[in-house]
Amino acid sequence: MNANREDDNDRKIKKRIAIYSALLVLIFAYIFVIGKMGLCNNRKMSETAGMAIMAIIFGGVLFVVIKLVYNRRLLKNTFKISLEFRKELCKRDKLLYEKSGGVVFEILLYFLLFVTGTAALINEAAFRVSFLVLIVSIVLKVVTYMIYSSKY
């Protein structure tokens, strides 16, 4: 039974590595498409839009690379894998994660980051609206997490 659990954990880690690798390829494909279409050369960008697109792209690449390296190292050490999955199964943390948005918020966040980055390159008015929605959603996530963490 313990061997099955280790195989499941290895499979989960390998799945995460594959997802992060695909995500890294998609980010570089997005950068390539932006460069080929000449979106970053079409207009004068505001300072906020320029900083936002740089933070989104380079922050995204850095985040994905860190997660990829972490999961590859985790795959080599079976003891760390068991500790990691025990930590993930903590009921209180899982409840707080789900109550404050969970997977739905993560998907929304990644979508908003993509839209905000693209809008920063194409249209200033669309960028300002999507940036505002992004900031409001992050603030709502933090506030709901704090409220639920004091409650549970």
Side-chain angles (χ1 to χ4, degrees):
M1 184 167 131
N2 202 10
N4 276 343
R5 185 175 295 153
E6 287 179 16
D7 288 341
D8 288 342
N9 292 343
D10 283 350
R11 209 172 304 123
K12 286 179 184 178
I13 297 294
K14 287 178 182 176
K15 188 177 174 182
R16 287 180 188 174
I17 290 171
I19 289 171
Y20 285 126
S21 298
L23 191 57
L24 192 62
V25 168
L26 285 174
I27 290 172
F28 285 126
Y30 177 75
I31 294 170
F32 177 76
V33 168
I34 286 172
K36 272 301 202 187
M37 291 177 66
L39 291 177
C40 53
N41 298 329
N42 277 353
R43 64 177 184 81
K44 178 84 170 121
M45 234 185 279
S46 70
E47 193 174 314
T48 308
M51 286 181 3
I53 189 65
M54 290 299 175
I56 289 170
I57 289 177
F58 293 116
V61 168
L62 186 64
F63 172 78
V64 171
V65 167
I66 288 171
K67 287 295 213 176
L68 198 56
V69 169
Y70 174 75
N71 281 305
R72 284 191 177 166
R73 284 187 180 166
L74 195 62
L75 192 59
K76 292 177 184 174
N77 192 342
T78 56
F79 179 69
K80 279 188 178 179
I81 290 176
S82 64
L83 286 178
E84 176 72 19
F85 281 104
R86 280 189 196 144
K87 200 166 47 172
E88 282 183 8
L89 296 176
C90 177
K91 288 183 181 181
R92 181 181 182 274
D93 291 341
K94 192 171 183 176
L95 177 69
L96 288 174
Y97 173 76
E98 291 298 324
K99 288 281 191 182
S100 63
V103 175
V104 174
F105 176 77
E106 284 188 21
I107 293 170
L108 176 68
L109 178 68
Y110 295 138
F111 178 73
L112 283 173
L113 286 170
F114 172 76
V115 169
T116 302
T118 305
L121 297 170
I122 297 172
N123 186 339
E124 186 67 29
F127 163 73
R128 291 183 187 274
V129 170
S130 64
F131 189 67
L132 178 68
V133 172
L134 177 66
I135 296 300
V136 167
S137 63
I138 291 171
V139 168
L140 285 173
K141 168 72 174 183
V142 170
V143 168
T144 55
Y145 187 86
M146 288 171 55
I147 289 171
Y148 283 116
S149 67
S150 67
K151 214 178 211 184
Y152 295 101

